[in-house]
Amino acid sequence: MDNSELDPRTLNNETSLGDSRLNNKVVTLVYGCQMSERDADTLTEITRRLGYEPSDDLETAALVIVNTCCVRESAENKILGKIGELKKLKERNSKVKIAITGCMVQQPGALERLQKRAPHVDIWAGTHNLHEFSSLIKKVERGGKVAEVWHEPKATLEIAPLPEKGKRHASVNIMYGCDNFCSYCIVPHVRGRERSRKPEEILQEIKSLVESGCREVTLLGQNVNSYGKEFSPTYDFADLLQEVDQIPWLLRIRFITSHPKDLSDKLIKTVAEGKKLCEHFHLPIQSGSNFILERMNRKYTREYYLSRVQKIHELVPNASLTTDIIVGFPGESEEDFEQTLAMMKQAHYSQAFTFMYSKRSGTLAAKMEDQIPLDVKKRRLQKLMSVQNQESLEWRQLMIGKLVEVLVEGPSKTNPQRLTGRTRGNELVVFNGPQEIIGSLVNVRINEAGSWTLMGEVEDFKKSWTFEFNAGI
Ligand code: SAH
Ligand code: SF4
């Protein structure tokens, strides 16, 4: 790939912004997980280096990018609806260019089907060739359409989006792909085999984010606990966390996702000892039944999972635990489902992301015969959600009266007069306070637990060293 295309110093508006453009606005829409969001930021960055300007207004856009997700059918349906709406946009404005990128396009055999369905799309690109997006745009600007999907990644080229000044949180990829092949999951099929980025590259990226004001990073990987398994000499995820923890002025470090089978004692100890490592583990259980876990190819039992939870509580007191759960996996009996409900009560999750099983073609589970009817899946999901809502509320109620450390993110979405931020355990807190404390760590006394958030009052923010430090930025 020609790196000069990505260097802002070689940016040439004359050649990259042809006369065919309406203006230079790009709108990026994103569906799916934080990795998909991170990829969408990379795409926006590539267009920015070509002279485009990020915008939210579809009507005046010269380029619309939709970075897609295919983890469940519901996501795909939403995206297909959006692609349909963009057809109408193109009818109103024939000059707008439309790019559809990412996981949905990467699925084996999907491109042809999608192209037939949406001939109005100008650029199709899969997950493995996103870094060459600038040359795809240039081709389309010269006229015509382009579709490119690589079957496997040829290089791991990281194009870090320019840190937005004042933005306190950023996601950083530490690895790509997944080798686990859980039987329900399309991710290994669209993201390829596991590849870890070099520690020095990751540390450098975080340091430059911190220099531009970032105070919290989330390290991203499908299974961060297997980070570095190909490295020699050995260097694992806990080693990486220990180094990130030393970066001056970084205040908080989070990571997702931890696969339970690879969660080592060393990692739990590292979180316990780290100054900036948040005491929060996102540890997807998927099911509480050993029979279903085996069919899911998760490679752990409920007993092993619970022993990991116990270890977390032993070494990291007050750690908060969140999870992902699938209901209605093929062959799931009422009894299997009951075991999932029991698991929820045993593990005391502060939050759970719950999903109905969705058949993904090309996966092992899609071929299983005993698929569960939709009405049963719906009923189980409702039940699971109501049990979890009660659990989450009880968890939040336990926090009433406690003083918690909050990194202030900005005005609350539901009430802009108030501020919002997150605890180390990743719980959302809403409170009153002056605008100057945005970006600082403050102590908040919790006085109320709502259905989704905690409410409280800031105590002594002027004593916070980060307040004084951030005031100088
Ligand atoms: N790598 C992460 C998860 C990535 S996908 C992990 O192993 O935990 C995010 C979540 O989507 C999964 O944890 C799972 O709960 C859910 N999911 C994945 N495939 C699904 C499918 N076919 N149907 C329903 N939910 C699914
Ligand atoms: Fe999917 Fe399993 Fe890999 Fe997570 S670990 S991305 S659920 S295959």
Side-chain angles (χ1 to χ4, degrees):
M1 207 208 52
D2 175 7
N3 270 323
S4 65
E5 286 177 2
L6 303 171
D7 185 338
R9 287 165 302 189
T10 61
L11 189 142
N12 180 343
N13 285 358
E14 286 302 306
T15 50
S16 62
L17 297 179
D19 283 337
S20 60
R21 295 256 193 100
L22 293 171
N23 59 41
N24 64 346
K25 299 281 195 300
V26 55
V27 175
T28 310
L29 306 174
V30 56
Y31 294 84
C33 64
Q34 272 156 304
M35 291 233 173
S36 177
E37 282 173 18
R38 179 64 174 70
D39 284 349
D41 288 346
T42 300
L43 293 173
T44 309
E45 175 64 18
I46 291 173
T47 61
R48 205 188 56 74
R49 293 181 189 190
L50 286 173
Y52 284 86
E53 192 190 321
S55 151
D56 293 331
D57 183 14
L58 280 174
E59 291 304 319
T60 58
L63 173 65
V64 179
I65 305 169
V66 183
N67 199 46
T68 60
C69 168
C70 60
V71 81
R72 281 172 292 276
E73 196 184 355
S74 51
E76 285 200 315
N77 287 343
K78 256 192 234 160
I79 296 163
L80 290 172
K82 183 51 84 179
I83 298 176
E85 279 173 38
L86 293 176
K87 185 175 182 194
K88 296 195 190 98
L89 180 74
K90 195 132 189 169
E91 281 161 9
R92 291 197 291 281
N93 164 10
S94 63
K95 284 187 177 167
V96 63
K97 304 288 183 209
I98 296 170
I100 310 294
T101 55
C103 288
M104 207 167 151
V105 186
Q106 187 69 45
Q107 286 177 97
L111 179 64
E112 218 170 275
R113 205 176 56 238
L114 288 165
Q115 276 178 310
K116 259 192 212 138
R117 190 177 171 136
H120 57 288
V121 170
D122 302 283
I123 303 176
W124 297 97
T127 51
H128 298 319
N129 60 326
L130 291 183
H131 60 273
E132 54 135 39
F133 195 54
S134 64
S135 60
L136 301 184
I137 295 177
K138 284 180 184 171
K139 274 187 202 157
V140 163
E141 281 180 351
R142 288 194 292 267
K145 294 181 188 290
V146 3
E148 237 181 276
V149 176
W150 295 358
H151 293 301
E152 46 192 57
K154 288 184 194 154
T156 297
L157 183 73
E158 187 63 29
I159 302 159
L162 272 196
E164 269 175 57
K165 196 157 170 49
K167 207 174 146 204
R168 300 300 179 190
H169 175 266
S171 298
V172 175
N173 281 329
I174 64 162
M175 59 202 297
Y176 305 93
C178 179
D179 285 348
N180 288 310
F181 287 93
C182 299
S183 62
Y184 50 82
C185 186
I186 194 75
V187 172
H189 305 262
V190 292
R191 295 252 166 203
R193 297 291 62 73
E194 211 167 86
R195 286 101 62 208
S196 299
R197 280 179 79 197
K198 292 198 186 86
E200 49 280 19
E201 262 178 45
I202 299 170
L203 293 167
Q204 193 43 52
E205 184 176 338
I206 300 175
K207 283 178 192 156
S208 46
L209 284 165
V210 170
E211 270 165 30
S212 58
C214 172
R215 294 287 167 264
E216 179 179 284
V217 289
T218 302
L219 308 180
L220 299 181
Q222 295 299 347
N223 176 10
V224 289
N225 298 341
S226 63
Y227 172 79
K229 80 175 180 210
E230 67 274 38
F231 290 165
S232 166
T234 41
Y235 182 96
D236 63 16
F237 183 51
D239 297 324
L240 178 69
L241 284 180
Q242 284 162 15
E243 287 206 71
V244 180
D245 198 47
Q246 302 300 318
I247 296 178
W249 299 117
L250 182 64
L251 300 179
R252 281 177 168 187
I253 305 156
R254 301 186 183 280
F255 53 88
I256 47 167
T257 292
S258 284
H259 196 303
K261 79 176 165 63
D262 298 317
L263 180 65
S264 66
D265 286 0
K266 178 179 171 189
L267 178 68
I268 304 175
K269 272 189 208 133
T270 301
V271 173
E273 288 160 11
K275 290 190 296 288
K276 304 164 183 180
L277 289 163
C278 289
E279 297 79 10
H280 167 222
F281 291 83
H282 183 62
L283 202 59
I285 172 90
Q286 312 297 0
S287 167
S289 147
N290 284 339
F291 170 69
I292 296 295
L293 285 172
E294 166 121 39
R295 285 173 67 106
M296 285 178 161
N297 194 27
R298 289 291 287 179
K299 303 191 184 82
Y300 54 82
T301 59
R302 66 176 283 140
E303 292 75 19
Y304 181 76
Y305 182 95
L306 280 168
S307 75
R308 297 286 73 201
V309 170
Q310 203 180 352
K311 195 75 185 176
I312 291 174
H313 290 318
E314 202 178 288
L315 297 179
V316 194
N318 301 322
S320 84
L321 204 64
T322 56
T323 201
D324 292 349
I325 299 186
I326 300 176
V327 295
F329 183 82
E332 185 188 66
S333 65
E334 281 305 318
E335 202 191 336
D336 293 318
F337 176 61
E338 287 297 326
Q339 285 176 17
T340 298
L341 291 177
M343 188 71 191
M344 286 200 119
K345 292 181 186 159
Q346 258 173 299
H348 296 302
Y349 298 113
S350 62
Q351 206 186 350
F353 300 90
T354 50
F355 310 105
M356 271 194 288
Y357 167 72
S358 169
K359 200 169 166 180
R360 304 285 70 203
S361 89
T363 63
L364 263 177
K367 296 188 203 94
M368 293 180 182
E369 277 171 7
D370 31 12
Q371 300 284 329
I372 303 293
L374 184 62
D375 58 331
V376 177
K377 289 199 250 188
K378 279 189 180 161
R379 175 171 52 74
R380 289 183 187 164
L381 184 67
Q382 283 304 326
K383 174 75 186 159
L384 191 71
M385 283 164 68
S386 76
V387 170
Q388 183 53 39
N389 289 348
Q390 186 55 32
E391 284 285 317
S392 298
L393 184 63
E394 279 170 24
W395 172 270
R396 279 193 294 276
Q397 279 166 341
L398 284 176
M399 297 185 76
I400 295 177
K402 289 196 178 144
L403 197 61
V404 293
E405 180 202 279
V406 173
L407 180 63
V408 189
E409 285 169 17
S412 154
K413 279 191 190 123
T414 47
N415 180 355
Q417 308 303 318
R418 308 189 83 191
L419 294 173
T420 182
R422 283 180 187 270
T423 65
R424 292 176 71 89
N426 211 27
E427 289 101 5
L428 203 60
V429 188
V430 178
F431 46 92
N432 289 320
Q435 296 284 319
E436 308 96 272
I437 64 173
I438 294 174
S440 302
L441 283 180
V442 294
N443 288 325
V444 176
R445 178 81 60 192
I446 302 300
N447 53 25
E448 206 185 319
S451 324
W452 309 109
T453 50
L454 294 163
M455 267 73 77
E457 293 302 326
V458 179
E459 283 192 6
D460 281 344
F461 71 84
K462 293 225 159 127
K463 280 195 196 144
S464 152
W465 62 271
T466 61
F467 171 67
E468 282 174 33
F469 175 75
N470 286 328
I473 294 179

